[in-house]
Amino acid sequence: MKILSADFLLVCNDEFEILENAAICFDKKIIDVGSREEIVERYKDVKELYLGKNSLLMPSLVNTHVHLEFSSNRTYLKYGDFLRWLGSVIKYREIISKECKEECYKNALNQMLKSGVGIFGEISSRGESLSYCVNAPQKVLFFNEILGSQPEVVDILYNDFLNRLKESKKYASDKFIPSISVHSPYSTHPILIKKSLEIARSENMIVSTHFMESRAEREWLDRGEGDFKRFFREFFPHIPVIKPLNSAKEFLKSFIGVRTLFTHALFATREEFEMMKDLGGSVIHCPISNRLLNNAVLDLKLLEEMKLSYSVGTDGLSSNYSLNMWNELRAALFLHFDRDLISLSKSLILASTKEGAKALGFNSGVLEKGRSADIIAVKLPGECEVQEIAYHLILHTREVEKIFIDGEEECPIS
Ligand SMILES: [Zn+2]
C-alpha cells in the first residue's frame, strides 16, 4: 500500500472536483482519497510521500487513437490536404514501416509515458506494433485494422486480418485487450465490415473506425464526386465506373450492437452524431491531425449540447509532430478559440482521463475508491488558485513527475 499527497488532487469526476492538501491511498486499486490529514490518520502504518509545493495528482492520461506503426515519420508525408497526404502515405508507407524498428517504438512509447499516458488505443494495420504493445508499460486496447475495397481481394484481406487478430489474442490480458478497427467507409468493402463486426458483436469488443475525416470523404460518400473520385480513378485505372462502397448512413447502421469509437467526425452531420449516440458510441478528437490534414476543427459545442461523449487522441506520427498528450491538449485549447477558457480546459482534461478510460473500457480515469490506481503526479510552475488550475495545467505541463499504472511506478523503457 502507498500514500501520495499533494497540494491539489484532481478527481476528474463530472463535477471536476479539486481537493486541496489531499492524499490518495492505493495498492493495485485506489483504496481511499481524502484530505491529507484524514488519510494519514486513517492509514497510520503506511508511509506517506508528499510531492512538494505546487504538486498535483490526477488520473493518468488516455490517448485513445494512435498509429505506432508510423512512428518513424518526420518529414516524408505531405500535409495541408487530405488526398495529398493519402497519396504521400501510399508512396512512403514501406519506407516508414522499414525505418520503424525497436528504437523507434521505444521512443514513441516513452514519449507517451513521460507525458503521463497510462492507457492508449493502438490502430495496427499490419501487426508490426504487436510485440511492442504487448510489452509496453501502458495498458493497451489493440485494434487490428481491416480495410480494402476490391472485391477480388476481399478473401485474402479478410484472412490476413483474421490471422493478425488471432495472433494478438494469444497475448490477451487485463492490460492488453485485442480488438478490431474498421478503417473507414470509403476504404472498406461492406463484406469486410459485416464479417469483422460479427466477430466484434459476438465477442463484445470495443471497435474503432475513422469517420468523416475530410471534406472529400463527405463529397464522395454523398455524391460519388470530388477529390476521392479523381484519386480512385488514378489508383484503379482498370475499373471503368468507380462508386462509393458505402453510404454514410448504411456504414453507421452496420455498427448496431457494437460499442464504437468514431475518430475525427469533422464533417459529420447532426443526424449522424445522433446515430452515433444512439449506438452508444463516442467520438475521438485528434485536433493536431485535423489541423494538419483537413484545416478543420471538431464541433465540440455541438457534441456537448447533444451530450455525446468525446475523448482525445494524438493520432499517429503520420499526422502529428509528437505523441505528447499535453501538446495535443494545448493545441485544442488554441484551436477552439471561441470557447470559454476555463470550461474548455476542464472538458479537455475530462476527455483525456475519465472519458478516454471509459471509451477504451478500462476501470480508470477517475481518482475514486475501487478504480485502478493509474495516477500521475505533476508539478505546477508556481502558486495557482483552484479555479485557474485546469488551463494552467494544460499550458505548463510537458512531462509528468511520476506515473503509476495499477499502483506500480513506471519508468521509461531503456
Ligand atoms: Zn487514425
Side-chain angles (χ1 to χ4, degrees):
M1 229 188 271
K2 299 179 182 81
I3 293 178
L4 291 177
S5 58
D7 288 0
F8 301 102
L9 183 145
L10 266 62
V11 180
C12 289
N13 52 5
D14 286 332
E15 298 73 39
F16 206 82
E17 202 178 342
I18 301 179
L19 311 178
E20 291 181 77
N21 298 314
I24 184 165
C25 176
F26 58 95
D27 47 22
K28 205 177 170 198
K29 296 248 175 249
I30 297 171
I31 294 162
D32 210 345
V33 178
S35 77
R36 199 176 162 190
E37 238 173 27
E38 227 168 66
I39 297 290
V40 170
E41 175 64 29
R42 212 172 284 159
Y43 305 91
K44 281 199 181 91
D45 302 337
V46 185
K47 199 172 165 271
E48 177 217 11
L49 175 67
Y50 168 59
L51 296 162
K53 205 167 156 47
N54 306 318
S55 55
L56 179 149
L57 287 162
M58 64 183 286
S60 68
L61 303 181
V62 185
N63 182 357
T64 46
H65 190 89
V66 62
H67 300 253
L68 289 177
E69 289 165 4
F70 285 92
S71 295
S72 71
N73 176 60
R74 292 298 178 275
T75 50
Y76 284 127
L77 303 183
K78 293 176 179 174
Y79 299 153
D81 172 81
F82 189 75
L83 270 305
R84 212 167 105 85
W85 172 79
L86 196 57
S88 70
V89 169
I90 291 164
K91 187 171 174 193
Y92 289 104
R93 183 70 182 89
E94 293 306 318
I95 297 177
I96 291 170
S97 169
K98 219 172 269 168
E99 287 183 359
C100 202
K101 297 202 181 85
E102 191 176 348
E103 196 64 18
C104 172
Y105 283 105
K106 205 168 72 187
N107 289 340
L109 291 170
N110 280 344
Q111 194 176 33
M112 285 199 281
L113 193 77
K114 285 183 199 167
S115 79
V117 171
I119 303 172
F120 65 86
E122 158 70 352
I123 313 291
S124 166
S125 354
R126 313 181 5 153
E128 288 164 359
S129 58
L130 176 65
S131 64
Y132 303 102
C133 288
V134 169
N135 296 307
Q138 290 98 339
K139 296 177 183 174
V140 186
L141 188 55
F142 189 80
F143 298 103
N144 293 282
E145 189 164 69
I146 186 157
L147 83 154
S149 56
Q150 297 309 295
E152 61 272 21
V153 288
V154 154
D155 286 342
I156 300 170
L157 295 170
Y158 187 64
N159 283 332
D160 170 68
F161 157 79
L162 281 184
N163 286 335
R164 284 186 281 123
L165 181 63
K166 194 173 154 198
E167 183 63 20
S168 68
K169 280 182 177 175
K170 285 184 192 162
Y171 305 96
S173 72
D174 289 350
K175 64 183 283 278
F176 179 83
I177 320 284
S179 188
I180 294 169
S181 161
V182 172
H183 180 261
S184 78
Y186 65 82
S187 64
T188 317
H189 196 281
I191 293 175
L192 295 177
I193 299 176
K194 191 166 176 277
K195 286 173 109 173
S196 59
L197 292 182
E198 265 163 24
I199 301 175
R201 214 170 277 120
S202 70
E203 297 185 25
N204 205 16
M205 288 168 162
I206 295 173
V207 167
S208 188
T209 188
H210 300 94
F211 183 72
M212 286 300 165
E213 181 175 4
S214 64
R215 233 173 242 110
E217 181 178 343
R218 179 88 266 170
E219 257 188 297
W220 174 244
L221 295 192
D222 289 353
R223 300 189 289 112
E225 293 292 340
D227 288 352
F228 260 116
K229 189 174 184 178
R230 285 185 281 279
F231 180 85
F232 285 134
R233 262 202 190 134
E234 209 174 296
F235 207 69
F236 303 111
H238 58 288
I239 299 174
V241 186
I242 301 173
K243 281 190 201 148
L245 295 158
N246 304 284
S247 76
K249 214 174 193 172
E250 286 305 317
F251 181 75
L252 288 176
K253 272 192 190 161
S254 53
F255 290 89
I256 290 174
V258 182
R259 252 172 85 190
T260 308
L261 315 178
F262 295 94
T263 308
H264 305 307
L266 292 173
F267 299 93
T269 62
R270 192 187 180 105
E271 196 191 352
E272 288 160 357
F273 281 127
E274 264 156 20
M275 280 180 82
M276 292 177 209
K277 199 184 165 191
D278 291 344
L279 289 167
S282 65
V283 174
I284 298 181
H285 184 23
C286 305
I288 295 180
S289 172
N290 296 159
R291 196 278 162 262
L292 293 178
L293 306 190
N294 291 296
N295 311 329
V297 187
L298 178 69
D299 191 351
L300 282 187
K301 215 182 259 174
L302 179 60
L303 296 198
E304 283 172 357
E305 187 194 308
M306 293 177 58
K307 298 199 179 351
L308 174 56
S309 162
Y310 77 97
S311 58
V312 179
T314 56
D315 217 337
L317 287 173
S318 34
S319 55
N320 205 327
Y321 64 96
S322 95
L323 299 179
N324 183 317
M325 276 288 278
W326 296 103
N327 286 344
E328 205 62 40
L329 296 180
R330 269 189 289 282
L333 204 64
F334 293 109
L335 283 167
H336 300 279
F337 59 85
D338 55 348
R339 303 288 313 279
D340 171 72
L341 185 67
I342 294 177
S343 69
L344 173 63
S345 303
K346 288 179 180 174
S347 167
L348 289 170
I349 289 170
L350 290 186
S352 24
T353 52
K354 178 176 170 285
E355 297 305 324
K358 194 165 97 187
L360 296 187
F362 288 95
N363 180 27
S364 191
V366 185
L367 296 188
E368 64 185 12
K369 192 182 166 188
R371 299 262 189 177
S372 300
D374 299 336
I375 305 166
I376 53 176
V378 176
K379 226 15 175 322
L380 292 164
E383 282 181 27
C384 187
E385 285 181 32
V386 176
Q387 59 271 27
E388 318 299 318
I389 281 179
Y391 67 84
H392 277 310
L393 185 63
I394 294 178
L395 287 176
H396 295 289
T397 313
R398 262 89 192 145
E399 293 188 351
V400 300
E401 302 277 306
K402 286 178 185 296
I403 177 164
F404 294 83
I405 298 174
D406 283 334
E408 291 299 324
E409 186 166 0
E410 293 291 343
C411 299
I413 11 174
S414 51

